[in-house]
Amino acid sequence: MKKTLYSRRDFIKTTAIGGLGLAAGLGAVPKVARGAEKGSIAFLNLQPFSGAYADTGLDVSRGVRLAIEEFGGKVLGREIKLVERDATNPSDSLRRAKEAVEKEGCKFIQVGTSSAVALAVSEYGSKNDVIVGCHAGADSITGTACNKFTFRWAVPTYGAIREVVPRLIKELKVNTFYTITPEYVFGEDLLRNTKEVLKEQGKELAGNSYHALGEAEYSAIITKAMGAKADCVLFLNFGGDTVNSVKQAVNFGLKKVSKLCIAWSGGQTEFIAMGTKILEDVWVGIQYHHAIDTPMNKRVVGDYYKKYGVMMPYVAASGYQQMMVMLNAIKRAGSTDVKKVIAAWEDYEYEALTGKEVYRKCDHQCIKPYYTCRGKTEAEKKAPDDFVGIIGYSKNFLACDKTGCKM
Amino acid sequence: MSWGGLKVKFQKNASLVIMVGIFLVLPFILPYRALATEVLIFALATIAFDLLLGYTGIMMFCQASFFGSGAYITGLLIHHFQPNIFLCMGTAVAGVALLALVFGYMGTLRIGSYCVLLTLAFNELIFFIAYQWKTLTGGSDGLRNIPRPSLEIPGLFKVSLLSETRFYFFALFFFILSFVLIRKITESPFGRILQGIRENETRAQAIGYNTQLFKIAAFVIGGSFMGLAGSLYAMFMNFVDINLVAFDTSGKIVMMELIGGMGTLFGPILGAVVVALASDIANAYWDRWLLILGIVFVAFVLFARGGVWGIIENLRDWVRVPRLKDE
Amino acid sequence: MTLNLVLVQIVNGLVLGMIYVLLAMGLSIVWGMMNIINFSHGLFFALGAYLAYTLFSVTGNFFMGMIFVPLGTAVIGMFLELTLLKRLYRLNILYQILMTFGLALIGRELIIILYGPVGKSFVPPDILSGTITLGTFFFPTYRIFLLFVSICITLGMWLFIEKTKYGSVIRAGTEDSEMVSALGINISRVFTLIFGLSMAIAGLSGVLAAPIRGVEPMMGEAILGICFAVVIIGGMGSFMGAIIGGVIVGLSQSLVTLIMPSASIIVIFLVMALILLLKPRGLLGIRD
């Protein structure tokens, strides 16, 4: 049908649309709630529930829910309302944060593992008086991009490298390293720290290979690494990249030449994707392990196992721990006033899965250990998901004035 | 003015008035305000794309380049200099217009599916630059620290736009302005030629039009409005996400256009409403809702190529008692 | 950077290139004959990999996958062509592009629903695992196998297209499908078979690539852009073009990785853009 001028049919059309739109808006969609439901306190959990990291999101969610359950589903006598939203990119995450603040009067957010998302939401929180608990590893979250409203549990790259590399040197008598680094801010941070530690310890970096994030094809890098004949090949990537690069490295026979070590492991998801054969005798640095020997960890791991039938993975522990701390801070503050909760949260030492932990005041970074583990052989495994065993751990953090954080 | 002429003028503007009316109440009927702004900005981007695909017949995949670049330019200006809001927006539009000129020129050198692939490659290039140039764009972490500027005419007044509602109405003003402008263009002789190119480019050339020039012009105009949308988005989110220049954003706009209804200007608005609203709601219930969107999209390609607008049109025809069939 | 390293990278580039050659052949045939820019080509690559994974998990046999998976993807492809694509032929090719684009999205989501969002582990079968020594470097046996197999398939395809009656229909149809129809051949059925053949090769490349690249839901989208680049660089509709294009892209990717890893993909797109601007037929293309 030719459309020259807007005729009467167009008029009717637009009215119909208007009517439809209005009806859809009023009918299909819940009324805009001004502020929180009577009595309940809203918590927004922004995790990747779709996309490549969907498993991570699910695990964090499980940890968060376990914490809420343990708390009795209530804090300050008010019901805990958990709102969970998919957060695979910063734009959607910010929109969801706005939604939660507007609809639920939400003042407490837990945000997941992507640096970009965490940084964006953290900034949003600081501008809108919302407390944000981050689960991402980017240094800047409690460094140059820190703010009063953001707290972060995971150990940043400084602490991760300063546990793993010295331990490799000590336990395996490693003298030369070859690094495989994703070309990405995070990878650069890991590499920078590695170089610093090697310099301090008087050890040599035999070489470094960069790769694009999301790279599927590592033959060039592996060939170079094999040629370098370093004592240890240190993988500074994570997630799917780690799985691909380590698998291909093992297939090329790199294990015959060097010891393999993954500095920043995503935990169970990666282990399952790699499998026991590949992971055998590979050293792994990780934020948390289900075999950590503290009474609280044993109990929570048991509870998690009862509820979900698997050993608690690191991201679930992160979700659990940070949610527990958040709820306890609200309880101690005796109110949901954000400033009071922040004051109650910072510099308070508490019993945690990893032992005693504290979020220090200067940068809101949690002071906790980082763990080095070793991939078990099939015979050593006590259960199908028992892929690695703890070798050692330590706490390493930059002094407050060196983090670049100004709050 | 004759009675008939007045009637026509009323009807012609009535659709516009109704659309404006709906948008005026949109933030209050949708679940939350920010969703209305999201819908609005993407509706603008899709209308701009409609000028290219629906009216000129140019299929492309570099929508994200224009939208995202608009966002980056505005974001960078605010991040570093905090100039007047109109300067931020104007510079973004000008910058994107230039980019559209370049892409348009190269994309229209030859007729055919060549443009689709070239714009795809260009979009990848822009993404790559945004990703690699971390010191400028923040790379995959995105550009933060973009405080929302106030609505200000120096010397006259200054109004804060921090409230979501206020920003929405600010964006709405530009949306309506853009819509009216684009509609005027489609109704002008220039617009007719664009449609002629869509119908049969070879014939248009045979008549004597330099179709490449017209197509480049369409690129520049459409691109500029996409850049404007991107500029608004940067101020809306106070953040520039690298995904704004990624292929996915181009794909999103293509889906909104097809589902809404090509070549109708109102169709793209519907498309943006449907896709944005459906994704927002569905996303909260099922992580795999993209599957539904894909199926709906394919269904539309098969059975409802006129989009939602086309369906409404058909419904109206079906309901109405057929009198004189005027084509 | 030693000569040895460069040589090994050249071999790697050839292996990678042969996967691209296989994919480009399929894409080019469909594009040349049916004028469809198949945005779901990558999906069938992923589908091939996933089906191989399933078959391997169930039977433990990889080689069976090499035979049955391409049949599977061919059947799925032909089914989709008959039910969905055929209706759109009389329309603007825009709708075919959009349709395949939508199918790619649906396919990817289905894969995620069925197999989960995380990639799966896929190791080469035991006979083919292990390494061969190349100079002072170890080189996986499987990659040599892949090189060998893909060269054989390419040769087979060449023989099919150049030396058989059916091949001549393809060659003719790529130049002028209307004329072929006018000459009395049921072009509709030919289209279906061609599409099936194309998806069979795509599926087979997925099977072959899976032990190297792994199996993950986004693998189709990741490789699609490169496939387009290969066909454009080599020249759409040209068999030799697919080979040349694939090898060039594969070599370029692995050699650029030695210098600047993140640039390895964008270089391909830059070359593609250059070719589109300067020589839109591609290096060996027979028509635009």
Side-chain angles (χ1 to χ4, degrees), chain A residues 51 54-55 183 210 217 219-220 223-224 226 248 251-252 273, chain C residues 5 9 12 117-118 121-122 131 137-138 140 143 212-213 261-262:
Chain A
D55 278 9
E183 238 180 348
Y210 282 109
E217 179 42 54
S219 40
T223 312
K224 267 169 60 181
M226 290 183 82
Q248 289 177 28
N251 283 331
F252 263 81
Chain C
L5 181 63
Q9 266 314 84
N12 271 331
V118 183
S121 181
F122 199 127
T131 54
F137 294 98
F138 301 101
R143 288 178 193 239
I212 307 181
R213 299 175 69 104
S262 47

PDB file of all heavy atoms in Angstrom, chain A residues 51 54-55 183 210 217 219-220 223-224 226 248 251-252 273, chain C residues 5 9 12 117-118 121-122 131 137-138 140 143 212-213 261-262:
ATOM      1  N   GLY A  51      25.216 -16.213  28.746  1.00  0.00           N
ATOM      2  CA  GLY A  51      26.515 -15.950  28.156  1.00  0.00           C
ATOM      3  C   GLY A  51      27.580 -16.914  28.659  1.00  0.00           C
ATOM      4  O   GLY A  51      27.309 -17.862  29.373  1.00  0.00           O
ATOM      5  N   ALA A  54      27.873 -17.952  32.523  1.00  0.00           N
ATOM      6  CA  ALA A  54      26.610 -18.237  33.198  1.00  0.00           C
ATOM      7  C   ALA A  54      26.792 -19.174  34.391  1.00  0.00           C
ATOM      8  O   ALA A  54      26.105 -19.047  35.405  1.00  0.00           O
ATOM      9  CB  ALA A  54      25.615 -18.830  32.223  1.00  0.00           C
ATOM     10  N   ASP A  55      27.705 -20.126  34.263  1.00  0.00           N
ATOM     11  CA  ASP A  55      27.928 -21.043  35.395  1.00  0.00           C
ATOM     12  C   ASP A  55      28.428 -20.285  36.616  1.00  0.00           C
ATOM     13  O   ASP A  55      28.042 -20.564  37.745  1.00  0.00           O
ATOM     14  CB  ASP A  55      28.960 -22.114  35.016  1.00  0.00           C
ATOM     15  CG  ASP A  55      28.306 -23.240  34.223  1.00  0.00           C
ATOM     16  OD1 ASP A  55      27.138 -23.072  33.844  1.00  0.00           O
ATOM     17  OD2 ASP A  55      28.957 -24.264  34.007  1.00  0.00           O
ATOM     18  N   GLU A 183      46.095  -9.998  26.331  1.00  0.00           N
ATOM     19  CA  GLU A 183      46.293  -8.575  26.073  1.00  0.00           C
ATOM     20  C   GLU A 183      45.069  -7.824  26.570  1.00  0.00           C
ATOM     21  O   GLU A 183      44.126  -7.577  25.844  1.00  0.00           O
ATOM     22  CB  GLU A 183      46.460  -8.357  24.568  1.00  0.00           C
ATOM     23  CG  GLU A 183      47.763  -7.706  24.210  1.00  0.00           C
ATOM     24  CD  GLU A 183      47.918  -7.502  22.715  1.00  0.00           C
ATOM     25  OE1 GLU A 183      47.119  -8.070  21.955  1.00  0.00           O
ATOM     26  OE2 GLU A 183      48.830  -6.785  22.322  1.00  0.00           O
ATOM     27  N   TYR A 210      51.961 -12.568  24.402  1.00  0.00           N
ATOM     28  CA  TYR A 210      50.619 -12.016  24.552  1.00  0.00           C
ATOM     29  C   TYR A 210      49.653 -12.786  23.666  1.00  0.00           C
ATOM     30  O   TYR A 210      50.035 -13.306  22.633  1.00  0.00           O
ATOM     31  CB  TYR A 210      50.594 -10.550  24.127  1.00  0.00           C
ATOM     32  CG  TYR A 210      51.155  -9.608  25.142  1.00  0.00           C
ATOM     33  CD1 TYR A 210      52.368  -8.987  24.929  1.00  0.00           C
ATOM     34  CD2 TYR A 210      50.460  -9.320  26.311  1.00  0.00           C
ATOM     35  CE1 TYR A 210      52.890  -8.107  25.861  1.00  0.00           C
ATOM     36  CE2 TYR A 210      50.977  -8.447  27.242  1.00  0.00           C
ATOM     37  CZ  TYR A 210      52.192  -7.843  27.014  1.00  0.00           C
ATOM     38  OH  TYR A 210      52.702  -6.968  27.927  1.00  0.00           O
ATOM     39  N   GLU A 217      43.372 -20.255  19.538  1.00  0.00           N
ATOM     40  CA  GLU A 217      44.463 -20.923  18.819  1.00  0.00           C
ATOM     41  C   GLU A 217      45.817 -20.527  19.419  1.00  0.00           C
ATOM     42  O   GLU A 217      46.292 -19.428  19.208  1.00  0.00           O
ATOM     43  CB  GLU A 217      44.350 -20.484  17.356  1.00  0.00           C
ATOM     44  CG  GLU A 217      45.353 -21.003  16.397  1.00  0.00           C
ATOM     45  CD  GLU A 217      45.689 -22.451  16.548  1.00  0.00           C
ATOM     46  OE1 GLU A 217      44.774 -23.282  16.541  1.00  0.00           O
ATOM     47  OE2 GLU A 217      46.884 -22.754  16.705  1.00  0.00           O
ATOM     48  N   SER A 219      48.882 -22.369  19.243  1.00  0.00           N
ATOM     49  CA  SER A 219      50.047 -23.135  18.800  1.00  0.00           C
ATOM     50  C   SER A 219      51.304 -22.279  18.706  1.00  0.00           C
ATOM     51  O   SER A 219      52.383 -22.725  19.081  1.00  0.00           O
ATOM     52  CB  SER A 219      49.760 -23.815  17.472  1.00  0.00           C
ATOM     53  OG  SER A 219      49.029 -22.966  16.630  1.00  0.00           O
ATOM     54  N   ALA A 220      51.171 -21.045  18.226  1.00  0.00           N
ATOM     55  CA  ALA A 220      52.357 -20.185  18.103  1.00  0.00           C
ATOM     56  C   ALA A 220      52.985 -19.938  19.462  1.00  0.00           C
ATOM     57  O   ALA A 220      54.195 -20.093  19.656  1.00  0.00           O
ATOM     58  CB  ALA A 220      51.968 -18.851  17.482  1.00  0.00           C
ATOM     59  N   THR A 223      54.585 -23.038  20.932  1.00  0.00           N
ATOM     60  CA  THR A 223      55.855 -23.328  20.260  1.00  0.00           C
ATOM     61  C   THR A 223      56.961 -22.448  20.821  1.00  0.00           C
ATOM     62  O   THR A 223      58.056 -22.926  21.135  1.00  0.00           O
ATOM     63  CB  THR A 223      55.719 -23.074  18.751  1.00  0.00           C
ATOM     64  OG1 THR A 223      54.538 -23.707  18.285  1.00  0.00           O
ATOM     65  CG2 THR A 223      56.916 -23.608  18.012  1.00  0.00           C
ATOM     66  N   LYS A 224      56.647 -21.152  20.985  1.00  0.00           N
ATOM     67  CA  LYS A 224      57.656 -20.239  21.536  1.00  0.00           C
ATOM     68  C   LYS A 224      58.018 -20.635  22.956  1.00  0.00           C
ATOM     69  O   LYS A 224      59.197 -20.646  23.339  1.00  0.00           O
ATOM     70  CB  LYS A 224      57.110 -18.803  21.526  1.00  0.00           C
ATOM     71  CG  LYS A 224      57.509 -18.068  20.268  1.00  0.00           C
ATOM     72  CD  LYS A 224      56.851 -16.774  20.002  1.00  0.00           C
ATOM     73  CE  LYS A 224      56.966 -15.656  20.965  1.00  0.00           C
ATOM     74  NZ  LYS A 224      56.208 -14.483  20.496  1.00  0.00           N
ATOM     75  N   MET A 226      57.887 -23.523  24.325  1.00  0.00           N
ATOM     76  CA  MET A 226      58.702 -24.735  24.338  1.00  0.00           C
ATOM     77  C   MET A 226      60.136 -24.426  23.966  1.00  0.00           C
ATOM     78  O   MET A 226      61.073 -25.001  24.504  1.00  0.00           O
ATOM     79  CB  MET A 226      58.110 -25.771  23.387  1.00  0.00           C
ATOM     80  CG  MET A 226      56.808 -26.323  23.912  1.00  0.00           C
ATOM     81  SD  MET A 226      56.117 -27.609  22.892  1.00  0.00           S
ATOM     82  CE  MET A 226      57.041 -28.994  23.474  1.00  0.00           C
ATOM     83  N   GLN A 248      45.843 -27.089  25.001  1.00  0.00           N
ATOM     84  CA  GLN A 248      46.696 -27.163  23.819  1.00  0.00           C
ATOM     85  C   GLN A 248      48.145 -27.339  24.205  1.00  0.00           C
ATOM     86  O   GLN A 248      48.892 -28.071  23.565  1.00  0.00           O
ATOM     87  CB  GLN A 248      46.502 -25.923  22.950  1.00  0.00           C
ATOM     88  CG  GLN A 248      45.148 -25.937  22.260  1.00  0.00           C
ATOM     89  CD  GLN A 248      44.889 -24.684  21.451  1.00  0.00           C
ATOM     90  OE1 GLN A 248      45.806 -24.043  20.962  1.00  0.00           O
ATOM     91  NE2 GLN A 248      43.632 -24.326  21.311  1.00  0.00           N
ATOM     92  N   ASN A 251      48.670 -30.889  25.026  1.00  0.00           N
ATOM     93  CA  ASN A 251      48.649 -31.673  23.793  1.00  0.00           C
ATOM     94  C   ASN A 251      49.942 -31.552  22.998  1.00  0.00           C
ATOM     95  O   ASN A 251      50.368 -32.479  22.326  1.00  0.00           O
ATOM     96  CB  ASN A 251      47.466 -31.266  22.908  1.00  0.00           C
ATOM     97  CG  ASN A 251      46.162 -31.851  23.406  1.00  0.00           C
ATOM     98  OD1 ASN A 251      46.148 -32.906  24.016  1.00  0.00           O
ATOM     99  ND2 ASN A 251      45.073 -31.156  23.169  1.00  0.00           N
ATOM    100  N   PHE A 252      50.558 -30.392  23.080  1.00  0.00           N
ATOM    101  CA  PHE A 252      51.818 -30.183  22.394  1.00  0.00           C
ATOM    102  C   PHE A 252      52.965 -30.836  23.153  1.00  0.00           C
ATOM    103  O   PHE A 252      54.074 -30.914  22.649  1.00  0.00           O
ATOM    104  CB  PHE A 252      52.111 -28.668  22.279  1.00  0.00           C
ATOM    105  CG  PHE A 252      51.717 -28.073  20.960  1.00  0.00           C
ATOM    106  CD1 PHE A 252      50.400 -27.712  20.717  1.00  0.00           C
ATOM    107  CD2 PHE A 252      52.657 -27.850  19.970  1.00  0.00           C
ATOM    108  CE1 PHE A 252      50.038 -27.148  19.501  1.00  0.00           C
ATOM    109  CE2 PHE A 252      52.303 -27.279  18.761  1.00  0.00           C
ATOM    110  CZ  PHE A 252      50.991 -26.925  18.531  1.00  0.00           C
ATOM    111  N   ALA A 273      36.220 -28.285  32.793  1.00  0.00           N
ATOM    112  CA  ALA A 273      36.434 -28.159  31.346  1.00  0.00           C
ATOM    113  C   ALA A 273      37.763 -28.770  30.926  1.00  0.00           C
ATOM    114  O   ALA A 273      37.898 -29.280  29.815  1.00  0.00           O
ATOM    115  CB  ALA A 273      36.365 -26.696  30.937  1.00  0.00           C
TER     116      ALA A 273
ATOM    117  N   LEU C   5      60.931 -21.322  14.481  1.00  0.00           N
ATOM    118  CA  LEU C   5      59.634 -20.885  14.979  1.00  0.00           C
ATOM    119  C   LEU C   5      58.744 -20.448  13.823  1.00  0.00           C
ATOM    120  O   LEU C   5      57.571 -20.796  13.758  1.00  0.00           O
ATOM    121  CB  LEU C   5      59.835 -19.737  15.968  1.00  0.00           C
ATOM    122  CG  LEU C   5      58.580 -19.176  16.603  1.00  0.00           C
ATOM    123  CD1 LEU C   5      57.897 -20.235  17.439  1.00  0.00           C
ATOM    124  CD2 LEU C   5      58.911 -17.973  17.468  1.00  0.00           C
ATOM    125  N   GLN C   9      55.268 -22.052  12.580  1.00  0.00           N
ATOM    126  CA  GLN C   9      54.078 -21.224  12.451  1.00  0.00           C
ATOM    127  C   GLN C   9      53.483 -21.319  11.055  1.00  0.00           C
ATOM    128  O   GLN C   9      52.279 -21.215  10.878  1.00  0.00           O
ATOM    129  CB  GLN C   9      54.389 -19.751  12.760  1.00  0.00           C
ATOM    130  CG  GLN C   9      54.122 -19.369  14.184  1.00  0.00           C
ATOM    131  CD  GLN C   9      52.791 -19.875  14.678  1.00  0.00           C
ATOM    132  OE1 GLN C   9      52.628 -21.008  15.111  1.00  0.00           O
ATOM    133  NE2 GLN C   9      51.789 -19.023  14.597  1.00  0.00           N
ATOM    134  N   ASN C  12      51.496 -24.399  11.112  1.00  0.00           N
ATOM    135  CA  ASN C  12      50.280 -24.105  11.862  1.00  0.00           C
ATOM    136  C   ASN C  12      49.294 -23.311  11.026  1.00  0.00           C
ATOM    137  O   ASN C  12      48.090 -23.557  11.047  1.00  0.00           O
ATOM    138  CB  ASN C  12      50.612 -23.276  13.107  1.00  0.00           C
ATOM    139  CG  ASN C  12      50.934 -24.159  14.288  1.00  0.00           C
ATOM    140  OD1 ASN C  12      50.448 -25.265  14.383  1.00  0.00           O
ATOM    141  ND2 ASN C  12      51.749 -23.653  15.186  1.00  0.00           N
ATOM    142  N   PRO C 117      26.362 -23.210  28.736  1.00  0.00           N
ATOM    143  CA  PRO C 117      27.056 -22.059  28.180  1.00  0.00           C
ATOM    144  C   PRO C 117      28.578 -22.200  28.180  1.00  0.00           C
ATOM    145  O   PRO C 117      29.273 -21.458  27.499  1.00  0.00           O
ATOM    146  CB  PRO C 117      26.648 -20.923  29.117  1.00  0.00           C
ATOM    147  CG  PRO C 117      26.323 -21.582  30.402  1.00  0.00           C
ATOM    148  CD  PRO C 117      25.856 -22.958  30.102  1.00  0.00           C
ATOM    149  N   VAL C 118      29.085 -23.131  28.960  1.00  0.00           N
ATOM    150  CA  VAL C 118      30.530 -23.275  29.042  1.00  0.00           C
ATOM    151  C   VAL C 118      31.003 -24.262  27.982  1.00  0.00           C
ATOM    152  O   VAL C 118      30.313 -25.216  27.655  1.00  0.00           O
ATOM    153  CB  VAL C 118      30.936 -23.795  30.436  1.00  0.00           C
ATOM    154  CG1 VAL C 118      32.430 -23.874  30.566  1.00  0.00           C
ATOM    155  CG2 VAL C 118      30.348 -22.895  31.498  1.00  0.00           C
ATOM    156  N   SER C 121      35.222 -30.004  26.895  1.00  0.00           N
ATOM    157  CA  SER C 121      36.547 -30.522  26.613  1.00  0.00           C
ATOM    158  C   SER C 121      36.457 -31.555  25.498  1.00  0.00           C
ATOM    159  O   SER C 121      35.567 -32.377  25.490  1.00  0.00           O
ATOM    160  CB  SER C 121      37.072 -31.170  27.900  1.00  0.00           C
ATOM    161  OG  SER C 121      38.344 -31.656  27.699  1.00  0.00           O
ATOM    162  N   PHE C 122      37.378 -31.493  24.560  1.00  0.00           N
ATOM    163  CA  PHE C 122      37.375 -32.464  23.462  1.00  0.00           C
ATOM    164  C   PHE C 122      38.828 -32.771  23.115  1.00  0.00           C
ATOM    165  O   PHE C 122      39.519 -31.935  22.551  1.00  0.00           O
ATOM    166  CB  PHE C 122      36.669 -31.863  22.243  1.00  0.00           C
ATOM    167  CG  PHE C 122      36.216 -32.883  21.238  1.00  0.00           C
ATOM    168  CD1 PHE C 122      34.898 -32.906  20.808  1.00  0.00           C
ATOM    169  CD2 PHE C 122      37.084 -33.810  20.701  1.00  0.00           C
ATOM    170  CE1 PHE C 122      34.462 -33.826  19.863  1.00  0.00           C
ATOM    171  CE2 PHE C 122      36.655 -34.735  19.766  1.00  0.00           C
ATOM    172  CZ  PHE C 122      35.343 -34.735  19.346  1.00  0.00           C
ATOM    173  N   THR C 131      52.765 -36.460  19.803  1.00  0.00           N
ATOM    174  CA  THR C 131      53.439 -35.450  18.989  1.00  0.00           C
ATOM    175  C   THR C 131      54.477 -36.052  18.049  1.00  0.00           C
ATOM    176  O   THR C 131      54.990 -37.132  18.286  1.00  0.00           O
ATOM    177  CB  THR C 131      54.149 -34.437  19.888  1.00  0.00           C
ATOM    178  OG1 THR C 131      55.016 -35.150  20.782  1.00  0.00           O
ATOM    179  CG2 THR C 131      53.161 -33.655  20.738  1.00  0.00           C
ATOM    180  N   PHE C 137      61.117 -28.880  17.599  1.00  0.00           N
ATOM    181  CA  PHE C 137      59.822 -28.674  18.243  1.00  0.00           C
ATOM    182  C   PHE C 137      58.950 -29.915  18.162  1.00  0.00           C
ATOM    183  O   PHE C 137      59.036 -30.688  17.229  1.00  0.00           O
ATOM    184  CB  PHE C 137      59.091 -27.511  17.571  1.00  0.00           C
ATOM    185  CG  PHE C 137      59.774 -26.202  17.769  1.00  0.00           C
ATOM    186  CD1 PHE C 137      60.598 -25.692  16.783  1.00  0.00           C
ATOM    187  CD2 PHE C 137      59.611 -25.489  18.934  1.00  0.00           C
ATOM    188  CE1 PHE C 137      61.242 -24.489  16.965  1.00  0.00           C
ATOM    189  CE2 PHE C 137      60.243 -24.281  19.117  1.00  0.00           C
ATOM    190  CZ  PHE C 137      61.067 -23.772  18.130  1.00  0.00           C
ATOM    191  N   PHE C 138      58.098 -30.042  19.154  1.00  0.00           N
ATOM    192  CA  PHE C 138      57.074 -31.075  19.097  1.00  0.00           C
ATOM    193  C   PHE C 138      55.882 -30.534  18.329  1.00  0.00           C
ATOM    194  O   PHE C 138      55.542 -29.380  18.444  1.00  0.00           O
ATOM    195  CB  PHE C 138      56.605 -31.448  20.514  1.00  0.00           C
ATOM    196  CG  PHE C 138      57.702 -31.946  21.390  1.00  0.00           C
ATOM    197  CD1 PHE C 138      58.291 -31.121  22.328  1.00  0.00           C
ATOM    198  CD2 PHE C 138      58.142 -33.260  21.295  1.00  0.00           C
ATOM    199  CE1 PHE C 138      59.290 -31.572  23.152  1.00  0.00           C
ATOM    200  CE2 PHE C 138      59.148 -33.719  22.122  1.00  0.00           C
ATOM    201  CZ  PHE C 138      59.732 -32.875  23.049  1.00  0.00           C
ATOM    202  N   PRO C 140      51.770 -31.572  17.343  1.00  0.00           N
ATOM    203  CA  PRO C 140      50.742 -32.585  17.579  1.00  0.00           C
ATOM    204  C   PRO C 140      50.424 -33.390  16.325  1.00  0.00           C
ATOM    205  O   PRO C 140      50.235 -32.825  15.243  1.00  0.00           O
ATOM    206  CB  PRO C 140      49.526 -31.769  17.989  1.00  0.00           C
ATOM    207  CG  PRO C 140      50.048 -30.469  18.423  1.00  0.00           C
ATOM    208  CD  PRO C 140      51.267 -30.238  17.616  1.00  0.00           C
ATOM    209  N   ARG C 143      47.213 -32.462  14.284  1.00  0.00           N
ATOM    210  CA  ARG C 143      47.197 -31.383  13.301  1.00  0.00           C
ATOM    211  C   ARG C 143      47.693 -31.848  11.946  1.00  0.00           C
ATOM    212  O   ARG C 143      47.212 -31.393  10.905  1.00  0.00           O
ATOM    213  CB  ARG C 143      48.048 -30.215  13.802  1.00  0.00           C
ATOM    214  CG  ARG C 143      47.348 -29.505  14.921  1.00  0.00           C
ATOM    215  CD  ARG C 143      48.181 -28.371  15.483  1.00  0.00           C
ATOM    216  NE  ARG C 143      47.601 -27.938  16.728  1.00  0.00           N
ATOM    217  CZ  ARG C 143      47.183 -26.712  16.972  1.00  0.00           C
ATOM    218  NH1 ARG C 143      47.298 -25.784  16.046  1.00  0.00           N
ATOM    219  NH2 ARG C 143      46.668 -26.399  18.135  1.00  0.00           N
ATOM    220  N   ILE C 212      41.093 -29.323  18.294  1.00  0.00           N
ATOM    221  CA  ILE C 212      42.076 -28.249  18.443  1.00  0.00           C
ATOM    222  C   ILE C 212      41.483 -27.056  19.180  1.00  0.00           C
ATOM    223  O   ILE C 212      42.041 -26.548  20.129  1.00  0.00           O
ATOM    224  CB  ILE C 212      42.560 -27.706  17.075  1.00  0.00           C
ATOM    225  CG1 ILE C 212      43.057 -28.821  16.197  1.00  0.00           C
ATOM    226  CG2 ILE C 212      43.640 -26.680  17.288  1.00  0.00           C
ATOM    227  CD1 ILE C 212      43.563 -28.312  14.873  1.00  0.00           C
ATOM    228  N   ARG C 213      40.334 -26.595  18.693  1.00  0.00           N
ATOM    229  CA  ARG C 213      39.770 -25.355  19.191  1.00  0.00           C
ATOM    230  C   ARG C 213      38.855 -25.559  20.390  1.00  0.00           C
ATOM    231  O   ARG C 213      38.463 -24.615  21.050  1.00  0.00           O
ATOM    232  CB  ARG C 213      38.952 -24.674  18.103  1.00  0.00           C
ATOM    233  CG  ARG C 213      39.724 -24.311  16.880  1.00  0.00           C
ATOM    234  CD  ARG C 213      38.764 -23.771  15.846  1.00  0.00           C
ATOM    235  NE  ARG C 213      38.240 -22.485  16.265  1.00  0.00           N
ATOM    236  CZ  ARG C 213      38.638 -21.330  15.768  1.00  0.00           C
ATOM    237  NH1 ARG C 213      39.566 -21.307  14.853  1.00  0.00           N
ATOM    238  NH2 ARG C 213      38.103 -20.212  16.209  1.00  0.00           N
ATOM    239  N   PRO C 261      49.592 -10.237  18.678  1.00  0.00           N
ATOM    240  CA  PRO C 261      48.493 -11.212  18.738  1.00  0.00           C
ATOM    241  C   PRO C 261      47.117 -10.621  18.519  1.00  0.00           C
ATOM    242  O   PRO C 261      46.303 -11.178  17.793  1.00  0.00           O
ATOM    243  CB  PRO C 261      48.588 -11.777  20.156  1.00  0.00           C
ATOM    244  CG  PRO C 261      49.955 -11.485  20.602  1.00  0.00           C
ATOM    245  CD  PRO C 261      50.413 -10.265  19.889  1.00  0.00           C
ATOM    246  N   SER C 262      46.850  -9.479  19.140  1.00  0.00           N
ATOM    247  CA  SER C 262      45.486  -8.972  19.045  1.00  0.00           C
ATOM    248  C   SER C 262      45.172  -8.455  17.653  1.00  0.00           C
ATOM    249  O   SER C 262      44.027  -8.247  17.308  1.00  0.00           O
ATOM    250  CB  SER C 262      45.263  -7.864  20.066  1.00  0.00           C
ATOM    251  OG  SER C 262      46.340  -6.974  20.004  1.00  0.00           O
TER     252      SER C 262
END
